[in-house]
């Protein structure tokens, strides 16, 4: 099979098969010109999927006839890249393509889109995730809620830890959101807007809630129209009444500090009120003691001043028997007890 004979004339041709990738010496073959070049590897126990042939550096289809080889008649056998199990760090069980497909086609968790998250904060309840609808409220940090699920969670003590700053109805500020015309009928996600500038309530624009009246206006509207009264209901407000809706971390920190200060003032006021109440009771007790001392001084020595005794007979209605009327308020005399057929009177002190 292997020989160093020159190429025969006619239907045979000499071919050099180089096996450098297998670390084997080249083979000199003489084969018929009409055979495909793949037959040159008949003596090598290699699957067809593990190699390919090249001629002068170019891939050579295995079905090409030997007669199509270039004049050099040199064919190079090249091994395909190993797919694991060959000491290259691949897994020995990765012979099947399904392993790669299952590895790379596994759906990875989607990353939260910041735009979607921002839009959700302005269009949905921060507790239930439902679309915002009247009646809506805001907490003291500027988060938005539907009032009904928030009150229900508060009553049943099911508020998450992140909302522990909401302790009662005083921490809920009723707000009024101005609806966009025909937005709800069209099924649009953004259903509210600024009543002055028309800016959509979608998180792209800054909004403020006025704590006094609850109207929600864009920051641009309050900057363009300089006024100390609400631009909707004309109710007066001061700078402390402006509360950012879904503000930045710095704005939320300011709101949290203000909330703690307000709670501290309320607590201090309650403690002061309770202290005043205790002080008043103490003074009343002292006054009563002084009055009792005066009575002792005005009465006999060692005896309190005698109070007038109540007599029911003195307050009997007109045309009423005084003795009968007085018996209503006094106990019966022993001589009035009489035995009858159905009732036997008991001596006094035993009934």
């Amino acid at each position: 099979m292997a020989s160093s004979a020159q190429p025969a004339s006619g239907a045979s041709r000499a071919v050099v098969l180089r096996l450098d990738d297998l670390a084997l010496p080249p083979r000199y073959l003489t084969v018929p010109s009409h055979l495909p070049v793949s037959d040159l590897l008949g003596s090598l126990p290699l699957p067809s999927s593990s190699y390919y042939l090249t001629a002068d550096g170019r891939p050579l289809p295995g079905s090409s006839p030997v007669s199509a080889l270039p004049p050099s008649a040199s064919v190079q056998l090249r091994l395909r890249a190993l797919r694991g199990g060959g000491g290259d760090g691949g897994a020995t069980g990765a012979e099947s393509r399904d392993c790669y497909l299952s590895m790379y086609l596994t759906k990875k968790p989607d990353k939260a889109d910041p735009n979607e998250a921002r839009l959700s904060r302005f269009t949905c309840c921060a507790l239930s995730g439902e679309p915002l609808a009247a009646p809506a409220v805001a907490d003291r940090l500027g988060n938005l809620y539907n009032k009904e699920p928030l009150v229900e969670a508060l009553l049943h003590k099911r508020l998450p830890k992140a909302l522990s700053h909401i302790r009662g109805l005083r921490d809920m500020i009723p707000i009024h959101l101005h609806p966009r015309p025909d937005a709800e009928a069209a099924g649009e996600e953004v259903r509210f807007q600024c009543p002055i500038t028309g800016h959509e309530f979608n998180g792209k624009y800054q909004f403020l809630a006025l704590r006094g009246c609850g109207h929600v206006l864009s920051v641009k509207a309050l900057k363009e129209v300089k006024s100390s009264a609400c631009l909707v209901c004309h109710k007066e407000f001061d700078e402390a009444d402006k509360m950012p809706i879904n503000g930045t971390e710095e704005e939320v920190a300011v709101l949290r500090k203000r909330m703690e200060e307000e709670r501290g003032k309320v607590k201090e006021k309650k403690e002061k009120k309770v202290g005043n109440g205790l002080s008043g009771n103490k003074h009343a007790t002292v006054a009563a003691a002084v009055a009792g001392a005066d009575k002792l001084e005005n009465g006999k020595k060692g005896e309190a001043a005698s109070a007038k005794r109540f007599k029911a007979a003195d307050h009997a209605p007109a045309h009423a028997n005084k003795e009968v009327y007085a018996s209503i308020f006094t106990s019966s005399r022993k001589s009035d007890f009489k035995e009858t057929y159905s009732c036997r009177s008991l001596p006094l002190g035993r009934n």
Side-chain angles (χ1 to χ4, degrees):
M1 179 175 66
S3 65
S4 57
Q6 297 297 324
S9 61
S12 298
R13 187 170 180 183
V15 178
V16 179
L17 179 61
R18 300 187 178 279
L19 305 174
D20 297 341
D21 286 3
L22 298 179
L24 295 176
R27 296 189 178 187
Y28 300 92
L29 306 175
T30 301
V31 295
S33 300
H34 66 277
L35 292 179
V37 294
S38 59
D39 287 0
L40 299 177
L41 306 175
S43 60
L44 299 176
L46 295 175
S48 60
S49 60
S50 63
Y51 69 88
Y52 63 97
L53 300 174
T54 62
D56 293 342
R58 297 180 181 180
L60 182 65
S63 59
S64 301
V66 174
S67 59
L69 292 175
S72 62
S74 177
V75 178
Q76 178 78 31
L77 183 140
R78 308 292 297 180
L79 293 179
R80 299 184 186 276
L82 295 177
R83 296 182 297 174
D88 59 348
T92 56
E95 302 296 337
S96 175
R97 229 178 130 200
D98 294 339
C99 297
Y100 288 97
L101 293 178
S102 61
M103 184 188 305
Y104 293 105
L105 295 182
T106 302
K107 188 176 181 180
K108 297 181 180 179
D110 296 333
K111 294 183 179 179
D113 186 356
N115 295 325
E116 290 293 333
R118 182 187 62 222
L119 179 63
S120 176
R121 294 176 65 192
F122 279 82
T123 57
C124 299
C125 172
L127 176 64
S128 64
E130 299 175 353
L132 283 175
V137 295
D139 61 17
R140 297 191 184 188
L141 302 183
N143 302 310
L144 304 178
Y145 309 88
N146 287 333
K147 185 175 182 179
E148 184 176 348
L150 182 58
V151 172
E152 183 178 354
L154 190 63
L155 291 176
H156 294 86
K157 298 181 179 180
R158 294 184 306 197
L159 280 177
K161 189 175 181 180
L163 303 181
S164 59
H165 60 278
I166 302 177
R167 303 177 183 176
L169 296 177
R170 293 184 178 181
D171 296 322
M172 304 179 193
I173 303 172
I175 59 174
H176 305 287
L177 298 171
H178 187 75
R180 291 179 58 205
D182 303 328
E184 186 172 358
E188 297 183 9
E189 190 172 5
V190 181
R191 297 184 299 167
F192 304 104
Q193 66 179 17
C194 174
I196 307 302
T197 62
H199 287 166
E200 294 183 357
F201 197 66
N202 56 8
K204 295 182 180 180
Y205 307 97
Q206 293 178 320
F207 279 79
L208 297 173
L210 302 180
R211 298 176 59 176
C213 61
H215 285 102
V216 178
L217 305 171
S218 65
V219 173
K220 185 176 181 181
L222 294 175
K223 285 183 178 180
E224 292 183 351
V225 182
K226 302 293 183 180
S227 174
S228 60
C230 175
L231 303 180
V232 179
C233 65
H234 307 294
K235 183 177 180 179
E236 294 289 332
F237 67 88
D238 53 22
E239 197 66 24
D241 290 332
K242 296 180 180 180
M243 183 179 68
I245 297 296
N246 292 322
T248 61
E249 294 182 2
E250 292 78 9
E251 292 173 335
V252 172
V254 173
L255 292 176
R256 189 180 296 276
K257 183 178 179 181
R258 183 191 302 175
M259 177 182 67
E260 298 298 334
E261 291 176 352
E262 291 176 352
R263 286 178 175 173
K265 291 179 181 179
V266 172
K267 185 177 180 180
E268 184 179 353
K269 187 176 181 181
K270 285 184 178 180
E271 291 177 351
K272 187 175 181 181
K273 186 176 180 180
V274 172
N276 291 338
L278 292 176
S279 178
N281 292 337
K282 183 177 180 181
H283 290 315
T285 304
V286 173
V290 171
D294 292 341
K295 287 182 179 180
L296 288 175
E297 292 178 1
N298 294 333
K300 295 181 180 180
K301 184 177 181 180
E303 297 181 1
S306 60
K308 187 176 181 180
R309 188 174 181 183
F310 173 79
K311 293 184 178 180
D314 297 340
H315 301 277
H319 310 292
N321 189 314
K322 293 185 178 182
E323 185 178 356
V324 174
Y325 183 77
S327 66
I328 299 175
F329 304 96
T330 59
S331 59
S332 301
R333 290 173 296 180
K334 184 176 181 180
S335 60
D336 295 336
F337 283 86
K338 295 181 180 180
E339 292 185 6
T340 63
Y341 174 76
S342 59
C343 177
R344 183 176 180 180
S345 63
L346 297 174
L348 287 175
R350 295 179 57 188
N351 55 354

